[in-house]
């Protein structure tokens, strides 16, 4: 090719070849784009643990496998269970509040979960087509789970090699290297810091709410504990207010219920408030957040990104929206001033 084309033409031809290859690869990966994004999140969430295991194991495969089995799989199981129960309780809440229009948004998810409750034989007896749809959905989610775990595993095992290759390839382009390094730092902040903080706080809140529900008199405990716990987790990054936006109004509701009904004693709202203030407000703020969260990203913007990402991209938007935010803010801070 070099004898037939000039240097510039040869370079342009190789660019076309590269773009064509990238197009085919992108087309193949598009079907599992959400799983790739979640795999990226899982990699960042597990990376601190993997760094410590690397010091104990000489073989990179052993360290990566141990990290995925000890951290990654349990995280996915807990998140999956919380999501399933949370969707059900959210649907129950909308039904109790007579918000039928909002129930339409969660109906596709609820219908699949309701179908699974009937059992395999019940589904076969009632509707074969629904069995086919459910089987297809389970296969698709199994493939997504495989992609998530595979992406996280190989990123853990080979991330240093990838970073070394990138630095060697773009050694003459310091701006590109600096840009990618800052993107990595911000993704660590969002994934390892904020999302893990949300998950840890939400898990603590769910446990606390179930415990309080056991202490309360029958029929007067915490309604929708999983849904309320997930809201507490998300509220950890609400600027200034934090999870007070959740447990203050719910305490007021419990106080109102204790004054208007004879079934709820006043000691339960007081206990709920004190336990929430210590176990959910003070502990995550001073222990969990201080250990995990760091960086210069605006928390209000991060929160907005989680919400808009979920609305714009669907279930995986919670994980992909922050990626868009990171690239946008990093480009605006690092690259745009050099272009003006």
């Amino acid at each position: 090719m070099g004898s037939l084309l000039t240097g510039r033409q040869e370079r342009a031809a190789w660019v076309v070849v590269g773009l064509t290859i990238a197009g085919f690869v992108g087309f193949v990966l598009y079907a599992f784009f959400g799983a790739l994004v979640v795999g990226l999140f899982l990699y960042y969430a597990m990376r601190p643990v993997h760094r410590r295991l690397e010091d104990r194991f000489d073989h990179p495969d052993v360290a990566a496998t141990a990290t995925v089995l000890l951290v990654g799989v349990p995280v996915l199981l807990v998140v999956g269970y919380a999501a399933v129960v949370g969707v059900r309780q959210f649907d129950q809440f909308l039904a109790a509040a007579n918000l039928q229009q909002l129930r339409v948004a969660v109906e596709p998810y609820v219908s699949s979960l309701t179908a699974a409750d009937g059992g395999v034989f019940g589904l076969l007896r009632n509707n074969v087509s629904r069995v086919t749809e459910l089987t297809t959905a389970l296969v698709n989610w199994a493939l997504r789970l495989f992609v998530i775990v595979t992406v996280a595993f190989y990123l853990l095992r080979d991330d240093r090699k990838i970073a070394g290759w990138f630095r060697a390839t773009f050694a003459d382009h310091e701006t590109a290297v600096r840009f990618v390094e800052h993107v990595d730092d911000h993704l660590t902040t969002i994934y390892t810091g904020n999302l893990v903080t949300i998950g840890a706080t939400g898990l603590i809140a769910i446990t606390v709410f179930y415990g309080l529900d056991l202490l309360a008199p029958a029929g007067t405990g915490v309604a929708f504990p999983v849904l309320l716990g997930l809201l507490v987790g998300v509220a950890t990054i609400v600027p200034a207010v934090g999870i007070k936006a959740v447990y203050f109004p719910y305490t007021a509701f419990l106080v109102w219920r204790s004054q208007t009904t004879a079934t709820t004693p006043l000691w339960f709202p007081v206990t709920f408030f004190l336990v929430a203030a210590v176990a959910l407000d003070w502990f995550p703020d001073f222990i969990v957040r201080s250990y995990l969260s760091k960086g210069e990203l605006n928390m209000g913007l991060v929160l907005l990104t989680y919400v808009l990402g979920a609305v714009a991209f669907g279930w995986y938007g919670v994980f992909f929206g922050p990626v868009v935010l990171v690239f946008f803010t990093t480009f605006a801070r690092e690259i745009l001033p050099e272009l003006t």
Side-chain angles (χ1 to χ4, degrees), residues 186-197:
H186 290 320
L187 287 178
T188 301
T189 298
I190 284 188
Y191 283 154
T192 309
N194 294 326
L195 277 180
V196 173
T197 299

Side-chain angles (χ1 to χ4, degrees), residues 83-95 102-118 123 130 134:
V84 169
V85 178
V87 168
R88 285 176 172 172
Q89 292 191 358
F90 184 58
D91 181 66
Q92 293 170 5
F93 168 76
L94 294 178
L102 294 179
R103 292 189 70 189
V104 176
V106 297
E107 177 60 28
Y109 305 100
V110 175
S111 60
S112 298
L113 298 176
T114 304
D117 286 341
L123 285 172
R130 292 191 67 184
L134 182 60

Side-chain angles (χ1 to χ4, degrees), residues 115-158:
D117 286 341
V120 176
F121 294 105
L123 285 172
L124 288 172
R125 182 172 59 252
N126 296 329
N127 197 333
V128 177
S129 63
R130 292 191 67 184
V131 176
T132 303
E133 294 176 0
L134 182 60
T135 303
T136 302
L138 290 176
V139 171
N140 288 334
W141 280 105
L143 289 175
R144 290 190 180 103
L145 179 61
F146 172 78
V147 173
I148 290 170
V149 174
T150 302
V151 169
F153 172 83
Y154 283 104
L155 284 178
L156 288 173
R157 195 192 69 172
D158 300 326

